[in-house]
Amino acid sequence: MSTVAELQTLPGGNLAEEIASLRSELEEVKLRTPQDKVSIILLSGDFDKAMAAFMMANGAAA
């Protein structure tokens, strides 16, 4: 009977290298992400609400 540790193997085989790689990727993402982000939306009617929905969707897709 196999143990769980034997069944859960990483593609590279070296856990320390995989963790180091993930940490470096995370640091790169942190450097590219702006820290101070603010969104202000003012809605007054149905058209404004529809336009705001499209703008938020565009921003999320970018």
Side-chain angles (χ1 to χ4, degrees), residues 21-43:
S21 171
L22 290 172
R23 283 186 177 161
S24 67
E25 274 187 60
L26 179 61
E27 289 303 317
E28 290 175 20
V29 169
K30 283 181 181 179
L31 291 174
R32 291 189 312 236
T33 305
Q35 297 301 315
D36 299 324
K37 298 189 289 184
V38 176
S39 296
I40 299 174
I41 301 172
L42 175 64
L43 306 174

Side-chain angles (χ1 to χ4, degrees), residues 1 7-8 17 19 21 25 28 30 34 38 50 52 56 59-60:
M1 180 174 228
L7 296 175
Q8 294 179 345
E17 287 178 10
I19 291 172
S21 171
E25 274 187 60
E28 290 175 20
K30 283 181 181 179
V38 176
M56 286 187 279

